[in-house]
Amino acid sequence: MRLPESQVAVLEAASATEERTIEHVSEETGLKPETVTGAAFDLEDAGLVSVSTTETVSYTVTGEGETYADAGLPEVRLYRAAVDAGADDAPVPMGAVIGAADLDGQAVDIALANYARKEYGEVASGEISADPDVDPAADPEATTLDALLAGGESGDVEAQDGDGDREVLDQLVRRGLVERTERAVRSVTLTDAGVTALMEGVDVAETIDRLTPELLASGEWQDVAFTPYNVEADAPERRGGKVHILRQTAERVKDTLVGMGFREMDGPHADAEFWINDCLFMPQDHPARTHWDQFALDVPPMESIPDDLVERVRSAHLDGVGEDGQGYHSPWTEEVAREVDLRGHTTSLSMRYLSGHEIGELEPPERFFSVEKVYRNDTLDPTHLLEFFQIEGWVMAEDLSVRDLMGTFEEFYRQFGITDLEFKPHYNPYTEPSFELFGTHPETGELIEIGNSGMFREEVLRPLGVECDVMAWGLALERLLMLMYGFDDIRDVHGTLCDLDLLRSVEVLH
Amino acid sequence: MPVVDVDPDELRRLTGHEEKADDELIDDLFALGLEFEGETEDGLLQLEFGPDRLDRLSVEGVARSLRYQYGDDRGVYVPNTNDPDWTIEVEESVPAERPYVTGAVIRGVDLDEDALDSLIQLQEKLHATMGRKRKKGAIGIHDLTMLKGDVLEAGADGNSITYRGVDPAGDRFVPLDSDREMTPADVLDDHPTGETYAPIVSEYERYPAIYDEIGLFSFPPVINGRRTEVSTDSRNLFVELTGTDQWTIDRMCNVICYALDARGATVEAVEVAYRDGTLRRPDFEVETKTVAHERIEGMLGVELDVAETVDLFERSGLDAVADEDGDVTYEVSIPPYRTDVLHPLDLVDDVGRAYGFNDLDPRYPDVATVGSRHDRSKLEAAARTSLVGLGFEDLLNFHMISEVENYDRMGLDRPAATVQGDDALVGVESPVTITEPYSEDYTMLRTWALPSLLMVLENNTHRAYPQDLAEIGLAAGADDDEPTGVAERRTVAAVLARHDATYEDAKSRLAAICRDFDVELETPATEHPTFIDGRAATVVIDGASVGVIGEVHPRVLVEHDLELPVAAFEFDLDALA
């Protein structure tokens, strides 16, 4: 018979005539107790040993117990002091006795309580009396403490329940002077089959670490045992590739919008002021069009803007649109309109598409979106970047009302778990009416700003040749991300200042 | 968005609602579109307001809006204006860049500290918004009793002041916050307020100045003289505005007049005598616009009857007369403090606000459209999947960068102005630069993405290796043939930073990506300063040169504080299509 090494050792250390404890076998074989236990059970399964379990109880003296064993139990000290003061004859005042017994604080209460319990005497009206027939030296608790201490090298003593008075031990445990531990002690005994196996000879089987192709091919796998692994141990850390969390969020937004019937727009990051701001009916002297807010580029002015469109937009700025329309009282020049900047919003794409010059004339109904980068001349700080992603979406239809706008956004945000939208009237130069959208955070329950929206003004749509209604909205993707993840500093996530560990540890979006 | 500080007690008093608690006021203001931002140390409410309603830049204006909202006031209100006593004469010498002036006289004003603070704040906020930082319009408010008007020509009644242009060093006056006489040029050089606003007038041949009989008392748009300084004792005021647009300064003037009228003062007209005609100011003319009922119902998505609609107009401070002959229309009168009504739709917005937009029931528009991604978006997503499948950590870096990072630290020489993307080494391309950048870290658009990846490696040397990073993003170069002058492309870049990184590691991954997209890859040897000689190649996909691959040169690694080898590649995303 071949058995794994540990099992052979245990088998050889066991006896048919007497039970041997695991601890004993462990000492003899030099194997760890856990290994012996495992081997013993395996052997039992094979019918070669039987394993029995005994419950043992052991008592250990605690620190406090040691102190009292040394100095004497408080109630004993009190008794002796009381007798010395003559309390065995007549009651004496307590104060002096307590002092003489060297008791203070809690010990006083302990002493008095046990004194009364053991009927060492009486305590009443501040006086104490002692029963002359009591023998303090025979106090069973004290003697048991001493016995326990004497019994072991370090104060541990294994006492069977039969030793000492069970009641006394319980009392000591209750007083916190002794700790009681229960243990199961296992023992092994050889069975008849085990004896027979030993007589016939038991060899150590090879245990192997790795199953190899050779073992499989040769059939040798049948003759070997596999070293058990600690399957609960941690395995080496493994990292795979991962899509950037902001991209994951962008994908999720794109999926949602495509699912709602929106087509994706594409267009240049660097564009003429005309497309970025002028088509949007932003006066040329608007504060947001200055150097302080947007990045101008050192490239020549853009030539290829359709002339008739330029003319219509110019007219809208100066004279307004429609019978009762009026324009801005701000100067307007082509020079400014043709300057090229990095776009501050992706609404430049919307203008290009609505103008019919990007993918041809559009007929209602249409829905378009974009999730792309925009650039603003801000200051880099934990919540602001110079470049970030903007979610932009618009719907063109024959007759749209503010209610349609609200309904569309409710649907979009519901997909992200943001509900109970509130629409606060707002102002944008290019939409009227305009709304700031507020929603309830899915986790904190706070009301937070989650977007900006409105119906495009006629001064925007008519020059582009759009006769019907268009509603639009936008939101920074990073804002949505911060809401969902609660990052402290957006720079850790987006850009070259990112923290790889943060990106690695972010939970996957689903 | 700008913030205005409003005293809640003043607000209660001016609204006539002493019983309202701060919380209630804040809620009512939110419905008006004024967001509560916090409290100042002195317990003033800080309200963020929309730049369309500049009449709300002071507590008086906010109170007026609340009164309309509560229904305590309705319809258009125009203050009475007394006949003019004063004239502003505009001389030929006035600088051509700033020819317009307007104003009003305010009598019987009672200015306590709060009222004066509110007036000063109103002036500042108007300057910051409509006044375009005083460039478009600037306000000067003076104590009338300190002015001595020139008596007009014989036979005419009243007083006059003149608006003229003066030589920068041509006269002296004592400006506010000073105790010595200065010329206007001195003010621009030595006075703190002068330094701030100097750019507006410093190029002018002649500086704007306003005179009375005594002398120069106002140097718009910069600063007033001390002589006419307004205090809590001032009972009568002269308000003057100068600027580059008549309508703008007239409106700013109206907002101020309305605010002072709300405090019980009387408005008195002035005459502005230009060479080619005289205007009576302030201009309280009530304009009208026609609004179709159908448009209102269409915009809000609800049905309203005529009486309801008229009521909503009146509760917005407008007047509306319905014409029920045929399709119902309204002739709507607009008070002269409104600066935002450019189109009848602006009035529809008012109706909506009075109705309460939040009370509308959202509905999902009943129009069907089919959604889709555009081609490059799909290609990019597929390429990203490929990269991630190969174990790359996907990154999202900035598109803006500095010349130092894009070229120098990568071992590249800065290119001449005419180097285009096609004929150059990857990265060596004339950049698109930002005009007058603020930060020296962001001065151009990156011409390639590997610098960004190396910067991330540099910032993460304390994080575990291997660091296999990749990015698909924008790179750009200057190109006159492009309509915008900027050639934009998507680039795929990757770095393998590991103790045993080699060229082979990079190439095996690049080859895997090419197999995914069924394109043919070749890597003929090349020389590129960023890479080790003999370990760099051009990435050629389906016969076209689209990128570079190699082991990064130790010089570049050391420059980036990296202590392990890095293999890298970068190529044009479109090559995979």
Side-chain angles (χ1 to χ4, degrees):
Chain A
M1 172 175 302
R2 301 174 85 85
L3 292 175
E5 196 178 322
S6 57
Q7 287 183 32
V8 172
V10 170
L11 200 60
E12 287 177 349
S15 153
T17 50
E18 63 179 40
E19 283 185 354
R20 300 242 165 96
T21 65
I22 299 287
E23 204 180 308
H24 181 118
V25 171
S26 167
E27 263 173 42
E28 215 184 279
T29 58
L31 295 169
K32 284 194 273 201
E34 304 90 79
T35 316
V36 172
T37 313
F41 280 122
D42 284 339
L43 286 168
E44 190 182 48
D45 285 343
L48 299 172
V49 301
S50 67
V51 179
S52 65
T53 313
T54 334
E55 300 285 331
T56 56
V57 178
S58 67
Y59 294 90
T60 323
V61 180
T62 64
E64 197 182 338
E66 270 185 45
T67 315
Y68 288 156
D70 234 18
L73 291 169
E75 62 275 17
V76 170
R77 290 186 350 237
L78 183 64
Y79 181 82
R80 293 195 200 276
V83 166
D84 284 345
D88 46 353
D89 280 334
V92 294
M94 265 221 313
V97 174
I98 286 175
D102 201 20
L103 293 168
D104 58 14
Q106 256 190 341
V108 176
D109 295 324
I110 297 172
L112 290 171
N114 289 294
Y115 192 86
R117 175 175 61 84
K118 291 179 181 173
E119 293 174 2
Y120 277 2
E122 271 171 34
V123 175
S125 325
E127 289 186 332
I128 184 170
S129 65
D131 180 352
D133 297 324
V134 166
D135 178 15
D139 182 317
E141 285 175 24
T143 50
T144 309
L145 259 185
D146 289 338
L148 283 175
L149 277 173
E153 287 167 281
S154 56
D156 274 356
V157 157
E158 234 185 70
Q160 298 294 339
D161 269 337
D163 285 355
D165 187 2
R166 178 58 197 266
E167 242 186 68
V168 174
L169 286 166
D170 282 351
Q171 193 59 244
L172 285 171
V173 171
R174 244 174 270 140
R175 289 179 70 170
L177 305 180
V178 158
E179 247 172 35
R180 173 201 174 93
T181 6
E182 290 176 9
R183 263 177 26 215
V185 173
R186 295 201 173 91
S187 313
V188 293
T189 323
L190 282 176
T191 59
D192 288 339
V195 172
T196 316
L198 277 173
M199 285 196 333
E200 287 177 355
V202 181
D203 293 320
V204 173
E206 221 187 295
T207 55
I208 54 154
D209 204 22
R210 301 205 166 210
L211 177 61
T212 62
E214 289 75 35
L215 283 171
L216 285 166
S218 67
E220 257 186 74
W221 61 271
Q222 297 176 78
D223 297 327
V224 297
F226 293 98
T227 328
Y229 287 155
N230 178 4
V231 296
E232 290 189 28
D234 281 339
E237 193 184 305
R238 190 172 190 74
R239 246 181 297 112
K242 193 175 191 166
V243 176
H244 191 280
I245 187 60
L246 198 56
R247 295 263 186 218
Q248 285 186 48
T249 316
E251 287 294 309
R252 173 113 176 254
V253 170
K254 292 190 192 193
D255 284 343
T256 305
L257 289 170
V258 169
M260 287 167 70
F262 284 77
R263 283 202 281 164
E264 193 176 9
M265 296 187 286
D266 194 12
H269 290 231
D271 212 346
E273 281 275 351
F274 181 80
W275 293 113
I276 302 173
N277 291 312
D278 288 292
C279 279
L280 269 165
F281 201 52
M282 298 257 282
Q284 285 190 344
D285 62 359
H286 191 283
R289 292 181 71 161
T290 62
H291 181 46
W292 287 271
D293 271 32
Q294 52 184 20
F295 295 108
L297 297 174
D298 296 322
V299 291
M302 185 157 163
E303 294 297 323
S304 61
I305 306 171
D307 285 325
D308 58 332
L309 190 53
V310 173
E311 197 34 59
R312 289 201 297 274
V313 168
R314 167 185 213 279
S315 168
H317 275 249
L318 296 176
D319 301 315
V321 150
E323 246 180 54
D324 266 343
Q326 67 197 69
Y328 290 120
H329 293 267
S330 300
W332 197 95
T333 64
E334 257 187 61
E335 207 189 303
V336 169
R338 289 184 189 277
E339 269 173 31
V340 175
D341 302 321
L342 284 173
R343 66 195 180 193
H345 45 219
T346 44
T347 327
S348 55
L349 299 185
S350 308
M351 295 297 107
R352 281 169 166 265
Y353 274 67
L354 282 168
S355 73
H357 286 277
E358 196 72 24
I359 55 165
E361 291 296 330
L362 298 176
E363 289 299 325
E366 287 284 9
R367 287 185 172 94
F368 277 92
F369 81 95
S370 165
V371 182
E372 256 301 348
K373 253 200 189 176
V374 299
Y375 308 81
R376 301 233 178 125
N377 204 352
D378 241 322
T379 321
L380 264 182
D381 72 27
T383 53
H384 293 95
L385 298 170
L386 300 183
E387 22 181 306
F388 59 95
F389 279 79
Q390 182 165 54
I391 305 170
E392 162 122 3
W394 52 270
V395 179
M396 172 207 261
E398 278 302 339
D399 289 302
L400 285 173
S401 77
V402 163
R403 292 175 60 195
D404 297 306
L405 184 153
M406 293 175 175
T408 306
F409 305 151
E410 282 207 339
E411 190 52 53
F412 173 77
Y413 285 104
R414 191 205 317 280
Q415 306 274 337
F416 290 88
I418 299 172
T419 56
D420 295 323
L421 296 195
E422 276 186 36
F423 298 87
K424 175 175 149 286
H426 186 55
Y427 168 74
N428 293 315
Y430 39 91
T431 50
E432 184 84 351
S434 317
F435 300 97
E436 259 180 345
L437 311 175
F438 287 81
T440 312
H441 193 287
E443 251 143 74
T444 68
E446 293 178 75
L447 202 63
I448 34 162
E449 198 224 306
I450 50 168
N452 189 2
S453 67
M455 312 284 296
F456 276 131
R457 294 186 70 101
E458 299 213 349
E459 293 91 340
V460 172
L461 298 173
R462 298 289 170 273
L464 297 174
V466 177
E467 294 295 327
C468 56
D469 296 333
V470 181
M471 66 188 206
W473 102 104
L475 154 75
L477 183 68
E478 280 78 353
R479 182 148 181 79
L480 194 60
L481 180 78
M482 298 298 249
L483 288 175
M484 291 160 79
Y485 280 93
F487 294 124
D488 286 326
D489 190 334
I490 190 61
R491 294 169 296 182
D492 289 333
V493 179
H494 183 169
T496 13
L497 303 164
C498 67
D499 180 356
L500 277 185
D501 265 10
L502 182 65
L503 292 175
R504 286 168 173 174
S505 61
V506 174
E507 190 188 327
V508 165
L509 203 60
H510 59 89
Chain B
M1 286 285 149
V3 165
V4 68
D5 295 338
V6 164
D7 184 342
D9 291 327
E10 282 285 279
L11 191 57
R12 275 185 276 269
R13 196 175 64 74
L14 288 166
T15 331
H17 281 272
E18 302 279 4
E19 80 288 358
K20 290 234 172 206
D22 280 6
D23 285 347
E24 272 183 272
L25 284 176
I26 289 171
D27 282 340
D28 295 338
L29 291 166
F30 188 88
L32 265 185
L34 290 159
E35 216 180 313
F36 174 67
E37 292 281 299
E39 261 185 44
T40 66
E41 271 174 13
D42 306 316
L44 301 178
L45 304 177
Q46 292 183 305
L47 302 172
E48 190 195 282
F49 67 96
D52 56 336
R53 292 298 299 267
L54 299 180
D55 55 300
R56 292 176 181 158
L57 280 171
S58 67
V59 63
E60 300 88 2
V62 176
R64 180 186 322 119
S65 290
L66 278 177
R67 287 182 60 81
Y68 278 119
Q69 195 184 343
Y70 295 149
D72 295 334
D73 283 337
R74 18 184 358 106
V76 173
Y77 164 73
V78 179
N80 279 327
T81 332
N82 287 344
D83 285 333
D85 185 30
W86 287 77
T87 302
I88 306 174
E89 304 213 338
V90 186
E91 289 188 3
E92 221 182 302
S93 59
V94 156
E97 300 92 330
R98 200 178 187 81
Y100 302 107
V101 67
T102 191
V105 166
I106 308 287
R107 294 202 189 262
V109 75
D110 187 7
L111 289 174
D112 59 11
E113 282 295 331
D114 292 327
L116 189 54
D117 282 343
S118 180
L119 185 59
I120 292 170
Q121 187 188 214
L122 177 58
Q123 193 178 342
E124 270 171 41
K125 301 295 177 188
L126 281 171
H127 279 162
T129 54
M130 207 170 184
R132 301 284 192 254
K133 300 201 181 140
R134 298 199 190 183
K135 184 160 182 217
K136 200 166 180 185
I139 307 159
I141 305 183
H142 309 271
D143 189 326
L144 185 64
T145 48
M146 300 311 291
L147 285 179
K148 187 151 190 259
D150 283 332
V151 174
L152 296 175
E153 277 136 40
D157 286 320
N159 305 285
S160 78
I161 58 175
T162 48
Y163 178 41
R164 62 174 80 141
V166 294
D167 195 68
D171 205 340
R172 312 179 83 85
F173 74 117
V174 180
L176 288 174
D177 301 320
S178 174
D179 46 17
R180 63 180 177 95
E181 274 196 337
M182 300 168 94
T183 66
D186 287 339
V187 169
L188 294 189
D189 287 330
D190 298 333
H191 194 291
T193 315
E195 282 163 22
T196 314
Y197 296 102
I200 302 175
V201 295
S202 55
E203 302 292 301
Y204 293 5
E205 260 184 55
R206 291 182 305 281
Y207 290 173
I210 308 185
Y211 277 75
D212 67 349
E213 200 188 68
I214 303 173
L216 202 179
F217 70 91
S218 178
F219 174 23
V222 184
I223 197 165
N224 292 347
R226 267 181 67 180
R227 171 161 57 98
T228 55
E229 189 172 358
V230 172
S231 72
T232 50
D233 294 326
S234 307
R235 301 279 303 154
N236 300 311
L237 306 173
F238 196 111
V239 179
E240 44 85 359
L241 294 92
T242 60
T244 55
D245 179 71
Q246 185 75 49
W247 183 89
T248 302
I249 57 177
D250 284 336
R251 292 281 145 162
M252 287 165 74
C253 186
N254 290 353
V255 173
I256 295 177
C257 290
Y258 266 83
L260 291 167
D261 169 83
R263 293 218 175 248
T266 311
V267 179
E268 181 182 292
V270 301
E271 296 214 319
V272 180
Y274 289 110
R275 275 175 304 129
D276 53 4
T278 301
L279 302 173
R280 185 189 153 116
R281 288 290 182 265
D283 180 7
F284 285 164
E285 192 194 320
V286 173
E287 283 177 19
T288 60
K289 289 203 193 297
T290 311
V291 182
H293 184 91
E294 204 182 47
R295 201 76 181 88
I296 300 174
E297 286 190 339
M299 177 58 74
L300 297 180
V302 293
E303 278 180 14
L304 295 167
D305 64 36
V306 173
E308 253 183 300
T309 314
V310 170
D311 177 59
L312 291 169
F313 275 123
E314 288 177 355
R315 292 186 52 204
S316 309
L318 308 161
D319 276 334
V321 173
D323 177 1
E324 301 185 65
D325 204 7
D327 286 332
V328 179
T329 60
Y330 301 90
E331 191 165 312
V332 184
S333 304
I334 305 157
Y337 56 75
R338 294 290 296 264
T339 56
D340 61 307
V341 182
L342 301 178
H343 189 283
L345 263 177
D346 293 307
L347 301 170
V348 175
D349 178 50
D350 276 27
V351 170
R353 289 182 186 228
Y355 183 95
F357 284 116
N358 253 316
D359 291 342
L360 293 170
D361 219 354
R363 69 178 175 212
Y364 197 80
D366 190 13
V367 289
T369 52
V370 174
S372 66
R373 307 268 296 258
H374 64 70
D375 287 337
R376 190 186 40 70
S377 176
K378 291 189 261 192
L379 176 64
E380 195 178 314
R384 187 165 288 118
T385 305
S386 213
L387 284 165
V388 168
L390 287 166
F392 284 104
E393 299 177 55
D394 175 51
L395 290 183
L396 219 179
N397 292 316
F398 297 135
H399 296 160
M400 293 191 295
I401 202 172
S402 66
E403 279 87 342
V404 167
E405 293 290 354
N406 194 74
Y407 302 114
D408 305 349
R409 298 184 80 216
M410 300 297 282
L412 296 178
D413 287 330
R414 299 200 188 178
T418 52
V419 177
Q420 310 269 270
D422 308 326
D423 15 284
L425 297 170
V426 174
V428 180
E429 208 178 324
S430 302
V432 173
T433 53
I434 291 160
T435 314
E436 289 175 37
Y438 286 149
S439 165
E440 58 186 20
D441 292 330
Y442 304 106
T443 56
M444 56 174 272
L445 287 176
R446 65 183 183 181
T447 56
W448 55 329
L450 281 179
S452 311
L453 292 181
L454 278 161
M455 281 161 77
V456 174
L457 288 176
E458 187 177 3
N459 291 333
N460 285 279
T461 50
H462 54 309
R463 300 301 187 207
Y465 290 101
Q467 294 178 3
D468 295 340
L469 315 175
E471 182 186 356
I472 305 181
L474 185 85
D479 189 340
D480 282 337
D481 291 334
E482 291 288 331
T484 56
V486 178
E488 297 178 14
R489 67 177 205 283
R490 290 301 184 282
T491 185
V492 179
V495 291
L496 292 122
R498 22 169 89 209
H499 73 274
D500 56 357
T502 66
Y503 174 85
E504 235 179 35
D505 294 317
K507 182 158 180 187
S508 67
R509 284 165 178 77
L510 177 58
I513 298 169
C514 290
R515 273 195 306 276
D516 274 350
F517 286 87
D518 197 25
V519 292
E520 201 186 306
L521 172 71
E522 289 166 271
T523 55
T526 191
E527 277 177 22
H528 189 299
T530 308
F531 300 96
I532 298 173
D533 262 339
R535 299 188 178 193
T538 307
V539 174
V540 174
I541 292 179
D542 281 349
S545 294
V546 292
V548 69
I549 177 173
E551 288 184 11
V552 177
H553 200 290
R555 237 187 293 110
V556 175
L557 296 177
V558 166
E559 172 66 45
H560 286 84
D561 271 335
L562 295 171
E563 284 178 0
L564 75 182
V566 175
F569 60 79
E570 176 161 355
F571 65 92
D572 213 359
L573 176 67
D574 282 343
L576 298 175

